Amino acid sequence: MTLAALWLVALAALVAIMFMPFVVTPLRRAIISKPLLLRFRQVMPRMSQTERDALEAGTVSWDGQLFCGAPAWHELLSIERSKLTAEEQHFLDHDVETLCAMVSDWETTNVHKDLPPHVWQYIRERGFLGMIIPKAYGGLGFSAYAHSEVVTKLSTRCASVAVTVLVPNSLGPGELLLHYGTDAQKSHYLPRLARGLDIPCFALTSPQAGSDAAAIPDYGVVCYGEHDGERVLGLRVTWDKRYITLGPVATLLGLAFHAYDPDHLVGTRDDVGITCALIPTSHPGVDIGRRHMPLNAVFQNGPNSGRDVFIPMEWVIGGAPMLGKGWRMLMESLAAGRGISLPSSNTGMGKLAVRTTGAYARVRTQFKTPIGRFEGIEEALTRMGGNLYAMDATRALTATLVDRGEKPSVLSGIAKLHITERARQVINDAMDIVGGKGICMGPSNFLGAAYMQMPVSITVEGANILTRSLIVFGQGAVRCHPFVLREMAATQERNRRKALHDFDGALYGHLRFALRNFIRTLALGVTGSHFVRVPAGIAPETRRYYQQATRLSSSLALVADVAMATLGGALKRKEKMSARLGDVLSQLYLCSATLWRYEREGRQAADAPLMHWAIRDAMFRAQAALDGVLDNFPSPLLGALMRRVVFPLGRPYVVPSDALGHAVATLLIAPSPTRDRLTAGMFIGSPAEPVGLLERALAMTIGAEPIERKLADAIRNGVLVASMAPGEGAGEIATRAVTAGVITDAEKAILLTQRELAAAVVRVDDFGPDLGTSLLCTHAPDADVATHRPSRAIAGRAVA
C-alpha cells in the first residue's frame, strides 16, 4: 500500500471516529447526550405546576408552521373562512342592529352613566349574554366567528354595550362551566346565564397581583362549616379584587383564589393551588357593588372583596376534583377567549375611525382643497387603511381557528397585542386628521370616546408590554418549536432511562432542525428566496410574498435557536431580545392572515393596494426586529456572523412606497365596494346621526366637485366674478352662476346642500357655562344656543 493510500485510510478512520458518536446511538447517548442532560438539569430550575400549566395550555396550529422555517402554505390556504349561519346572520342584521340603534356613547356616558334599563332588558331577553352557551342549555350556541362579528359591530357604535356583551361570552363563568363544570352546575347555572337571569363576572386581578396573576394573595382554606343549616365540607375564603367588569351589577361572582388544605381534608398536600369557584353575590360576606370609572367609560366595572366567607365545596367549579386546577382552566379558556373579545372590539373601533375619518377628509376643505388630498393627511390615512386590513384579517383568521377546535394560545396573544396596538395607531392618526372635531366632546363627536378608552384595551387581558416582552416568544419558543418542549420535559422526567431516551431523541432532532434552517436561511438569503416553491393556484401578485415570508420564517427559526443556545435561561431575562423575536413571529402571522384574507375574499383587484401595503409594512417591521436581535447579541462576533447568514446581500425589505400609500388613501375618501369591504359590518345609523351625516355629506361632496370645478373655471375665465360684495355667501354666487348659464338650478341645489352638510359635519358641540345639566340637552335639533347647540336641520331633515 502506498503512502498516499495509508493517509487516505488514516483520514477515513479519523472521520469515522469523529462521526461514530453521532451515528451509533448507544455511544452517542453515553458520551454526548447523558452529560448534556445532566448539565441541563443543573442549570434549568424545576418547573412549577403553574408554569407547566401556562406552557401547555391551548394548542399549536399555524404558529407551529411559522416557527418551523418552511411553512406549509397550502395548509393555511386550505382553511375555509368561517361563515355565519342563517340564524347568526339574522341576529346580526336585526337584533344587533336594533341594539346599536338603542344606544350611543354620548348618552351612556353623560346622561345615564350606564346602559339605560330598557337596553339592559333587551340584552337579557335577546340572549346577548349567552351567545356561546349551547342551545341545549337555552343559549344561542353561536360560533366564535359569529361572536366576533357581533362584538365588532357593537364596537362601531358604543364601547360600553360592546364590553357588556363580550365579557360574559369570553373568559368568565359561562366558559368555565361549559368546559369544567359538573353536570349539576351546568344544569343549574347555564340556563340562567343564557336567559340573563344571572349576570356573571369573573374576579382574578388583585391589587398585589395584576400582570403576575398567578401570584394572587387571595386564599381559601378547606374546612367544615355551616351551609343551609347543615355542616358541610367547603372553604373559608378571603379575597380583595379590583377591575372586575360587570362586578357592580353581577349576581354570580366567579372567583379565583389560592386553596390550602392544612388538615388534609381532601388530599395530602397543604398547598392545593389556584382554584375557581362560583359565589352568588347575595351570599353573606360578599362586598360588591362599588364602581371604577375606567377613562370615562361607563361599562360596569369595580372592586369586590370578602373576609372569611364560607362556601360549600359544591360551589367550586368542577367540584372537589378540580381543586387546585384553576390556573390551567383559566389559561386554556384565555387561549381562545383572548383571541375573540379584544381583537373584535378594537377592529370595530378601527372600522369606525377609518370610515368616518376617510369621509371627513374628503368633506373638510382647507386652502380650497379637501384635506385628504394633502400628502401629510394622506400618509396618516394610508396607515389607517393598511392597518385595518391586516387587523380584520387577523381577527377573522383567529376566530376561524377557534371554530376549528383550536385553542391558539400563542396566536390569540399575538392577535390581542397587535390588533390593539394597531388600533391605537389608527385612532391616533384619525385624531390627528380630524383635529378639534375629535377633541370637543358632544353627541356629534364620532371619535373622542374611542380615543379616551383606547388604553383600556392595551391594558386588560394581558398588558401589551407584558405580552410582547414575556409571552409571545417566551411561550411561542417553547410551544411552537418542534423540539424545545420535549427537551424541557426530558429534563423534568424522574425516570433516568426514559429521560435519557427522550432527551437524546429531542436533542438530535433539534440539531438536524437547526442545521436545515442554517442551510436554508443562507441559501434563501443568497438567492433572494426567488426559488422557493409556492402553492399552486395562488394570485400571481402575491407569489413573492409567500417566498419572502418563508425566508423570514427560516431566519426566525435559526436566530431563535442560536439565541436560545447561547443565552439559555438568561434569554427569559433579556426581555428586549425576546420581544423582538416575538415581533418577527407576530408580523409573520399578520402576513399570513393578510394573504389568507386576500385569497378567501376572491382576490379583489381593487383591494390589492391594501393587501400590498399591509404585507410590505409587516415584512419591514419583521426585518427591523431581526436587525435589532442581531445588533444586540451578547457576542458581537456571533451577531456579525449571523447577519452574514440572514442578510448576506443586505436588508431586502423596504417601507411601502408613497405611490402605494396614495392608492390606499384614495380608497378611503370615496364610496366604493373596497371601502365597504374594509369597514364591513359597521353600524351606520340614521342620516341624522354623526356617521350617517358623514355618509350623506361624502356622497354630496363627490357630486358637487364637478360643479365646483365649473365655477372655478368660470371665475378663472372671467365669465363669473368670485365675489360681488363682502360676506357674499355660496347661495349668492350660485345664483349668479345660474344666471350666467354656468350651472343649472339642479346643480345649484346640489351645491348648496353640500355646503350645508359640510358645515354640519365640521361643526362641533358646545354647552352652557356650567357644563352640567346642559349636557342633558342633546336631543332637540333646534335647541337654544344657551344650552347645547347641535347641528341645525338641513334641507328639512334633522342632522344632529
Side-chain angles (χ1 to χ4, degrees):
M1 184 178 293
T2 64
L3 183 60
L6 287 172
W7 274 110
L8 286 174
V9 170
L11 182 61
L14 181 61
V15 170
I17 292 170
M18 290 175 60
F19 280 92
M20 189 173 294
F22 295 95
V23 177
V24 180
T25 302
L27 189 60
R28 181 182 72 223
R29 289 178 179 170
I31 67 175
I32 298 177
S33 297
K34 187 174 181 179
L36 283 175
L37 175 60
L38 293 174
R39 176 60 180 160
F40 270 56
R41 279 182 159 161
Q42 290 173 357
V43 300
M44 184 175 292
R46 180 160 291 277
M47 244 189 294
S48 69
Q49 189 59 45
T50 300
E51 291 173 316
R52 186 184 297 276
D53 288 344
L55 284 174
E56 295 178 355
T59 60
V60 176
S61 57
W62 181 245
D63 41 344
Q65 289 288 331
L66 294 175
F67 221 102
C68 77
W73 294 107
H74 64 278
E75 292 186 13
L76 173 71
L77 298 181
S78 70
I79 300 173
E80 291 293 332
R81 182 170 182 159
S82 291
K83 292 181 173 59
L84 299 176
T85 65
E87 181 184 0
E88 291 168 343
Q89 188 66 61
H90 183 275
F91 187 83
L92 197 66
D93 294 340
H94 294 85
D95 299 73
V96 179
E97 188 80 6
T98 299
L99 179 55
C100 286
M102 295 169 73
V103 295
S104 74
D105 262 318
W106 176 254
E107 288 190 355
T108 56
T109 302
N110 297 283
V111 179
H112 304 288
K113 309 294 184 184
D114 187 10
L115 298 180
H118 70 283
V119 173
W120 272 108
Q121 187 65 23
Y122 186 81
I123 287 172
R124 289 174 165 182
E125 290 177 350
R126 304 307 297 172
F128 280 90
L129 302 182
M131 289 191 295
I132 66 168
I133 296 175
K135 292 182 178 180
Y137 294 103
L140 298 180
F142 281 179
S143 65
Y145 183 69
H147 172 200
S148 176
E149 289 286 289
V150 170
V151 172
T152 299
K153 185 166 187 171
L154 292 175
S155 299
T156 68
R157 176 59 167 175
C158 174
S160 293
V161 77
V163 171
T164 300
V165 169
L166 74 85
V167 167
N169 292 287
S170 182
L171 177 59
E175 177 84 3
L176 295 171
L177 282 168
L178 278 173
H179 296 292
Y180 310 105
T182 64
D183 289 341
Q185 289 171 339
K186 292 178 183 178
S187 298
H188 176 74
Y189 285 116
L190 290 179
R192 293 181 59 81
L193 291 170
R195 296 196 302 269
L197 300 177
D198 272 323
I199 300 225
C201 70
F202 190 83
L204 174 61
T205 303
S206 299
Q208 291 78 33
S211 295
D212 187 12
I216 51 176
D218 316 286
Y219 63 91
V221 178
V222 178
C223 62
Y224 282 95
E226 291 290 325
H227 179 67
D228 288 343
E230 296 182 8
R231 186 171 184 269
V232 298
L233 184 65
L235 301 105
R236 196 165 296 281
V237 188
T238 295
W239 75 92
D240 181 18
K241 303 290 190 179
R242 64 179 182 179
Y243 309 150
I244 309 307
T245 300
L246 296 188
V249 295
T251 61
L252 185 64
L253 169 66
L255 183 68
F257 58 89
H258 211 111
Y260 297 91
D261 184 19
D263 297 329
H264 298 169
L265 297 177
V266 294
T268 59
R269 291 183 300 158
D270 291 347
D271 185 345
V272 179
I274 292 176
T275 298
C276 298
L278 295 177
I279 306 174
T281 57
S282 58
H283 188 60
V286 176
D287 185 5
I288 195 168
R290 294 186 63 80
R291 294 178 66 178
H292 301 309
M293 193 171 187
L295 288 174
N296 215 36
V298 293
F299 59 86
Q300 292 285 338
N301 183 278
N304 63 79
S305 61
R307 184 171 183 82
D308 292 331
V309 177
F310 180 79
I311 64 171
M313 191 64 69
E314 65 188 33
W315 287 4
V316 171
I317 298 178
M322 297 304 288
L323 280 170
K325 297 180 180 178
W327 189 244
R328 185 169 189 109
M329 293 160 59
L330 294 173
M331 291 299 98
E332 289 183 346
S333 296
L334 190 63
R338 185 168 54 185
I340 304 296
S341 53
L342 288 168
S344 303
S345 61
N346 280 257
T347 300
M349 286 193 290
K351 291 185 177 192
L352 171 67
V354 165
R355 193 170 185 103
T356 54
T357 306
Y360 185 87
R362 185 67 171 266
V363 173
R364 174 66 160 158
T365 60
Q366 292 286 275
F367 309 104
K368 300 180 180 180
T369 303
I371 62 172
R373 302 293 191 195
F374 291 98
E375 288 197 354
I377 300 294
E378 192 175 80
E379 188 174 30
L381 286 171
T382 297
R383 288 193 298 266
M384 293 175 67
N387 279 329
L388 179 57
Y389 190 84
M391 289 161 58
D392 205 15
T394 304
R395 174 195 70 87
L397 178 56
T398 306
T400 296
L401 290 173
V402 173
D403 279 334
R404 288 165 61 91
E406 300 284 356
K407 291 185 176 181
S409 54
V410 175
L411 294 184
S412 66
I414 291 172
K416 187 271 172 181
L417 165 63
H418 286 277
I419 289 179
T420 56
E421 285 294 342
R422 287 180 182 242
R424 173 156 60 178
Q425 186 173 23
V426 166
I427 299 296
N428 284 345
D429 281 333
M431 285 293 287
D432 285 350
I433 292 171
V434 303
K437 175 70 176 180
I439 291 170
C440 293
M441 294 303 293
S444 66
N445 187 319
F446 51 84
L447 202 57
Y451 179 77
M452 285 193 292
Q453 295 162 23
M454 191 66 237
V456 176
S457 299
I458 300 296
T459 302
V460 299
E461 288 195 12
N464 282 6
I465 290 178
L466 166 80
T467 303
R468 178 174 178 263
S469 301
L470 296 177
I471 294 178
V472 172
F473 182 76
Q475 190 174 16
V478 177
R479 289 305 313 275
C480 304
H481 196 289
F483 299 103
V484 168
L485 188 59
R486 290 164 54 187
E487 291 167 337
M488 292 176 64
T491 65
Q492 308 289 317
E493 174 61 51
R494 296 183 182 277
N495 184 313
R496 292 182 176 274
R497 179 171 300 198
K498 185 177 188 305
L500 181 58
H501 177 274
D502 293 348
F503 183 78
D504 177 75
L507 176 64
Y508 282 90
H510 195 157
L511 290 175
R512 289 190 296 270
F513 173 78
L515 181 60
R516 282 196 304 270
N517 280 318
F518 174 82
I519 296 170
R520 183 188 297 115
T521 300
L522 182 59
L524 295 181
V526 170
T527 63
S529 69
H530 282 281
F531 301 105
V532 173
R533 298 173 68 178
V534 299
I538 60 168
E541 61 269 28
T542 63
R543 176 183 178 84
R544 281 293 293 146
Y545 297 145
Y546 290 95
Q547 294 176 328
Q548 291 167 328
T550 298
R551 177 181 177 183
L552 283 170
S553 171
S554 183
S555 298
L556 169 64
L558 176 64
V559 173
D561 267 335
V562 173
M564 287 188 286
T566 55
L567 291 170
L571 181 57
K572 183 178 180 179
R573 296 185 295 276
K574 294 284 187 180
E575 294 174 22
K576 296 175 187 176
M577 184 170 289
S578 177
R580 294 183 185 110
L581 288 166
D583 288 344
V584 182
L585 179 61
S586 298
Q587 299 304 329
L588 278 169
Y589 182 51
L590 268 63
C591 283
S592 302
T594 301
L595 291 168
W596 175 80
R597 174 183 183 175
Y598 190 68
E599 289 290 335
R600 292 280 73 81
E601 291 186 350
R603 308 175 187 176
Q604 300 290 336
D607 300 358
L610 295 163
M611 177 273 295
H612 288 304
W613 191 94
I615 293 284
R616 294 176 191 178
D617 174 71
M619 287 186 171
F620 182 78
R621 293 191 194 202
Q623 175 181 265
L626 275 173
D627 213 25
V629 172
L630 299 176
D631 278 344
N632 289 279
F633 255 98
S635 167
L637 177 60
L638 181 58
L641 290 173
M642 288 301 301
R643 182 178 298 282
R644 291 297 182 185
V645 176
V646 175
F647 300 126
L649 303 179
R651 292 181 287 274
Y653 309 110
V654 297
V655 295
S657 68
D658 290 347
L660 178 59
H662 173 74
V664 170
T666 300
L667 292 172
L668 269 57
I669 62 174
S672 70
T674 291
R675 180 172 177 261
D676 290 340
R677 281 189 292 271
L678 185 62
T679 59
M682 260 197 69
F683 177 76
I684 301 299
S686 74
E689 294 182 300
V691 180
L693 173 62
L694 274 163
E695 291 293 295
R696 292 169 55 213
L698 175 62
M700 196 59 71
T701 296
I702 291 172
E705 283 176 351
I707 305 170
E708 296 275 11
R709 286 194 291 271
K710 284 185 181 182
L711 293 178
D713 290 342
I715 292 170
R716 187 167 51 251
N717 295 329
V719 177
L720 188 68
V721 178
S723 178
M724 297 290 291
E728 185 179 48
E732 290 84 354
I733 297 174
T735 299
R736 289 192 290 103
V738 171
T739 303
V742 175
I743 61 175
T744 66
D745 284 324
E747 289 174 323
K748 172 187 172 182
I750 292 172
L751 189 65
L752 294 183
T753 302
Q754 188 279 330
R755 295 289 177 86
E756 291 177 333
L757 287 170
V761 163
V762 301
R763 189 176 296 133
V764 298
D765 301 288
D766 54 76
F767 307 89
D770 63 349
L771 283 179
T773 56
S774 60
L775 287 177
L776 306 184
C777 302
T778 62
H779 303 298
D782 293 309
D784 190 292
V785 296
T787 56
H788 163 255
R789 186 172 61 206
S791 305
R792 299 293 185 182
I794 300 298
R797 299 181 299 275
V799 298

